[in-house]
């Protein structure tokens, strides 16, 4: 075992050297080899040390059961921190662990340089441990069942946050600062320092809203309820903001799933080709790589799609057509530079919108299929623009319904009015009614949800005792 670890450490040094030679610039990475129980615990909680909840246990038992029966396997888990953490499954072969380490370096380079991760809390593991400790204190003080029931309600809407939360300045307008008393001594440069200010006798226009008042519509349902609910206690607001902070950490990963996996797959392939060149491991590596980036029947494999798009971008910018040269002034030999640019500035929506071409849609045999007459799944669209647009639409708002708060004092009775920004996909009304019950528990007053069903406007109501609609 010591020899295997020594060989793996030696291979990691070589993998790091190759990655840096290709231009990758990841954070330092700490790798740990762990048993399946630990791997699947981290996979189900998404971050080690996170707060305890039955939904994580449910996810753990589902994933671990699939692993035990040989139906599914997690080869690695990578944590976006600085330094980053990579967890390797102890039952992996040495070659599998080498490929996984190369794959992890691709992920960490993406975490470090993609613009959507710019505001990421790189000490989130420490943060979630503090969250878990505070929630445990609340369980001791208020009772475990009380806290768990509250978490049930919060987690039912955890995806409904604003991915642009950190750049929305108007949410928290501070009160105007009080003028400090002057000493009476006149500054000789006062006229220069006050250039552009209104004369003393001129009054400023009244503010559009009072500091602290909500701005509508509000996309961030979790933040809005935590700050404006008339029913929550301080500890409940604290728990909601903890969940909110953790979801903000996960948002960039949800925004870049295809790109992130494609980038990591692209680079593990090139790193491992150089590492294994001329060795007996090359054939085994090729088989492993093929299993990672192979298409999946009936579902989209993000590794496969992202990998193919990055390869296509590099090819097209290395060897532009005559039409591309004339239309865009595109020189040849710019493929590697272009994919690094894409890695830095795009997310999945712009990635697919800009770089999923007609040729790729045909090569990858992508299509739209739907359940026709509630009987049979049928291919309904193969035109490449429609296929691309459907993929983009499915990723808008991470595939979740777009719900906004449009009034927090509806009927002048502190009732909450939510609006579903309808995009053609109807809500599951049974599920929606259940979520309204959870939202009522958080808001403490009647809740309303405006949506569409059967091409007709529909408003769902819940007053804490019964459901209604009109």
């Amino acid at each position: 075992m010591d020899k295997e670890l020594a060989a793996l450490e030696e291979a990691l040094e070589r993998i790091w050297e190759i990655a840096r030679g290709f231009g990758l610039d990841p954070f330092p990475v700490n790798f740990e080899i762990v048993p399946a129980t630990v791997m699947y615990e981290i996979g189900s909680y998404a971050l080690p040390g996170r707060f305890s909840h039955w939904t994580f246990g449910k996810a753990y038992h589902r994933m671990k059961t699939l692993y035990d029966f040989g139906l599914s396997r997690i080869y690695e888990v990578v944590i976006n921190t600085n330094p980053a953490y990579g967890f390797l499954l102890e039952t992996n072969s040495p070659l599998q662990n080498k490929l996984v380490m190369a794959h992890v370096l691709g992920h960490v380079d993406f975490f470090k340089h993609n613009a959507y991760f710019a505001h990421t809390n790189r000490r989130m593991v420490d943060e979630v441990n503090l969250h878990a400790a505070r929630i445990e204190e609340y369980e001791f003080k208020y009772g475990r069942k009380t806290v768990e029931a509250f978490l049930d309600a919060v987690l039912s809407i955890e995806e409904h946050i604003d991915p642009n939360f950190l750049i929305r300045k108007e949410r928290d307008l501070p009160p105007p600062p009080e003028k400090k008393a002057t000493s009476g001594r006149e500054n000789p440069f006062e006229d220069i320092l006050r250039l552009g200010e209104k004369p003393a006798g001129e009054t400023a226009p009244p503010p559009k809203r009072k500091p602290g008042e909500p701005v509508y519509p509000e996309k961030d349902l979790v933040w809005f309820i935590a700050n404006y609910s008339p029913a929550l206690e301080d500890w409940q607001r604290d728990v909601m903001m903890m969940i909110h902070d953790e979801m903000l950490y996960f948002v960039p990963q949800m925004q870049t799933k295809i790109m992130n996996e494609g980038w990591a797959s692209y680079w593990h392939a090139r790193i491992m080709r150089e590492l294994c060149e001329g060795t007996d491991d090359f054939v085994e590596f090729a088989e492993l790589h093929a299993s990672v980036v192979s298409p999946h029947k009936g579902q989209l494999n993000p590794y496969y799609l992202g990998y193919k798009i990055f390869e296509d971008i590099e090819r097209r910018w290395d060897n532009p057509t005559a039409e591309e040269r004339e239309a865009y002034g595109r020189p040849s030999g710019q493929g590697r530079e272009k994919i690094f640019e894409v890695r830095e500035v795009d997310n999945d929506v712009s990635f697919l919108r800009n770089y999923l071409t007609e040729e790729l849609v045909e090569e990858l045999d992508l299509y739209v299929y739907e359940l026709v007459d509630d009987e049979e799944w049928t291919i309904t669209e193969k035109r490449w623009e429609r296929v691309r647009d459907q993929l983009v639409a499915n990723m808008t708002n991470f595939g979740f319904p777009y719900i906004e708060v449009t009034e927090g004092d509806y009927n002048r009775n502190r009732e909450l009015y939510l609006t579903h920004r309808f995009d053609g996909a109807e809500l599951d009304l049974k599920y929606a009614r259940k979520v309204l019950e959870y939202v009522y528990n958080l808001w403490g007053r009647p809740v309303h949800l405006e949506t569409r069903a059967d091409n007709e406007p529909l408003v769902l109501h819940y007053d804490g005792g019964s459901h209604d609609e009109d």
Side-chain angles (χ1 to χ4, degrees), residues 70-111:
L71 301 174
S72 177
R73 181 173 183 171
I74 298 177
Y75 288 95
E76 50 82 22
V77 172
V78 57
I79 307 298
N80 172 27
T81 51
N82 181 18
Y85 291 89
F87 296 91
L88 313 177
L89 192 61
E90 67 178 4
T91 55
N92 288 350
S93 70
L95 186 66
Q96 285 172 335
N97 276 333
K98 292 174 187 176
L99 184 145
V100 165
M101 290 190 296
H103 190 85
V104 165
L105 293 188
H107 276 310
V108 178
D109 173 83
F110 192 92
F111 292 149

Side-chain angles (χ1 to χ4, degrees), residues 25 83 224 228 348 392 408 445:
D25 177 34
F224 185 89
Y228 293 104
D348 282 347
V392 169
R445 305 290 295 170

Side-chain angles (χ1 to χ4, degrees), residues 153-404:
V154 179
L155 295 178
S156 72
I157 59 168
E158 64 174 343
E159 299 90 356
H160 295 283
I161 65 171
D162 186 356
N164 301 315
F165 180 83
L166 295 174
I167 60 175
R168 283 280 303 277
K169 302 297 185 184
E170 69 272 22
R171 277 197 183 91
D172 293 305
L173 287 178
E178 295 182 4
K179 291 186 178 181
K180 296 181 179 179
T182 60
S183 62
R185 184 176 178 182
E186 187 176 342
N187 187 334
F189 302 105
E190 189 75 15
D191 56 338
I192 298 176
L193 294 174
R194 294 188 176 279
L195 278 175
E197 292 189 7
K198 295 182 183 295
E202 190 174 333
T203 58
K208 294 182 180 179
R209 70 181 181 99
K210 295 178 181 178
E213 284 187 349
V215 176
Y216 301 111
E218 175 56 64
K219 166 73 172 67
D220 202 310
L221 185 56
V222 177
W223 177 88
F224 185 89
I225 292 176
N227 282 275
Y228 293 104
S229 169
L232 295 182
E233 299 178 19
D234 288 343
W235 73 269
Q236 294 172 317
R237 298 183 198 278
D238 185 33
V239 169
M240 287 197 75
M241 291 310 298
M242 285 189 248
I243 304 299
H244 185 267
D245 290 346
E246 293 182 16
M247 288 305 298
L248 283 179
Y249 169 85
F250 293 119
V251 160
Q253 298 178 44
M254 294 189 287
Q255 290 175 310
T256 59
K257 176 68 174 178
I258 292 174
M259 283 187 69
N260 203 337
E261 295 297 357
W263 184 255
S265 300
Y266 176 95
W267 286 111
H268 85 226
R270 279 142 186 82
I271 292 169
M272 292 300 293
R273 285 171 190 164
E274 186 162 328
L275 184 72
C276 298
E277 187 176 7
T279 69
D280 296 337
D281 290 336
F282 197 88
V283 173
E284 184 183 349
F285 150 69
E287 292 177 350
L288 285 171
H289 174 66
S291 68
V292 171
V293 298
S294 62
H296 291 171
K297 183 178 179 180
Q299 60 181 341
L300 197 66
N301 181 357
Y303 298 79
Y304 177 60
L305 181 58
Y307 174 80
K308 295 296 288 186
I309 294 177
F310 272 117
E311 282 203 326
D312 187 63
I313 293 171
E314 184 175 39
R315 178 190 60 78
R316 290 194 292 125
W317 262 258
D318 272 341
N319 302 289
T321 64
E323 293 82 1
E324 290 171 334
R325 290 176 187 270
E326 182 177 351
Y328 309 115
R330 185 180 298 167
S332 59
Q334 301 293 310
R336 187 60 56 85
E337 181 181 338
K338 180 62 180 178
I339 62 172
F340 274 91
E341 175 193 317
V342 171
R343 171 268 264 152
E344 184 173 351
V345 302
D346 280 285
N347 64 11
D348 282 347
V349 170
S350 58
F351 186 60
L352 294 175
R353 175 68 69 189
N354 295 331
Y355 303 108
L356 182 60
T357 63
E358 180 177 4
E359 293 74 20
L360 269 176
V361 170
E362 292 177 359
E363 178 188 345
L364 304 180
D365 193 26
L366 300 178
Y367 50 81
V368 177
Y369 62 96
E370 298 174 290
L371 188 62
V372 177
D373 298 329
D374 296 327
E375 292 181 359
E376 186 175 353
W377 290 100
T378 305
I379 295 175
T380 57
E381 189 61 72
K382 294 204 71 169
R383 286 177 293 176
W384 79 273
E385 298 100 330
R386 299 293 297 274
V387 172
R388 178 200 61 193
D389 292 347
Q390 186 62 52
L391 280 171
V392 169
N394 290 345
M395 290 170 186
T396 303
N397 201 41
F398 324 124
F400 300 111
Y402 199 109
I403 308 293
E404 294 177 323

Side-chain angles (χ1 to χ4, degrees), residues 160 216-221 401-407 416-421 448-450:
H160 295 283
Y216 301 111
E218 175 56 64
K219 166 73 172 67
D220 202 310
L221 185 56
Y402 199 109
I403 308 293
E404 294 177 323
V405 180
T406 48
E407 181 59 63
L416 187 66
Y417 197 96
L418 309 175
T419 301
H420 172 212
R421 187 180 291 181
H448 315 270
L449 173 61
E450 180 182 323

Side-chain angles (χ1 to χ4, degrees), residues 3-154:
K3 289 183 178 180
E4 288 184 6
L5 285 175
L8 201 59
E9 289 177 355
E10 184 178 340
L12 177 56
E13 291 181 7
R14 177 64 180 142
I15 289 168
W16 181 270
E17 179 184 323
I18 295 171
R20 296 285 291 172
F22 278 129
L24 297 183
D25 177 34
F27 291 125
V29 184
N30 295 321
F31 285 98
E32 294 186 31
I33 299 176
V34 298
T37 52
V38 174
M39 180 69 83
Y40 284 91
E41 181 179 344
I42 297 170
S44 59
Y45 279 76
L47 283 169
R50 207 171 173 203
F51 66 90
S52 178
H53 190 257
W54 63 267
T55 54
F56 300 142
K58 179 182 176 182
Y60 170 83
H61 284 291
R62 179 178 58 81
M63 291 190 293
K64 184 64 165 56
T65 299
L66 290 173
Y67 169 78
D68 290 340
F69 283 92
L71 301 174
S72 177
R73 181 173 183 171
I74 298 177
Y75 288 95
E76 50 82 22
V77 172
V78 57
I79 307 298
N80 172 27
T81 51
N82 181 18
Y85 291 89
F87 296 91
L88 313 177
L89 192 61
E90 67 178 4
T91 55
N92 288 350
S93 70
L95 186 66
Q96 285 172 335
N97 276 333
K98 292 174 187 176
L99 184 145
V100 165
M101 290 190 296
H103 190 85
V104 165
L105 293 188
H107 276 310
V108 178
D109 173 83
F110 192 92
F111 292 149
K112 183 176 180 180
H113 295 283
N114 182 266
Y116 290 85
F117 289 84
H119 297 290
T120 296
N121 181 353
R122 306 291 184 180
R123 299 184 62 84
M124 200 60 193
V125 172
D126 297 333
E127 192 79 14
V128 298
N129 276 270
L130 293 174
H131 291 173
R134 291 221 302 277
I135 290 175
E136 192 172 337
E137 289 177 6
Y138 293 142
E139 288 178 340
F140 181 79
K141 186 173 182 179
Y142 299 104
R144 188 167 190 173
K145 288 186 177 180
T146 299
V147 175
E148 185 174 88
F150 182 72
L151 284 171
D152 289 347
V154 179

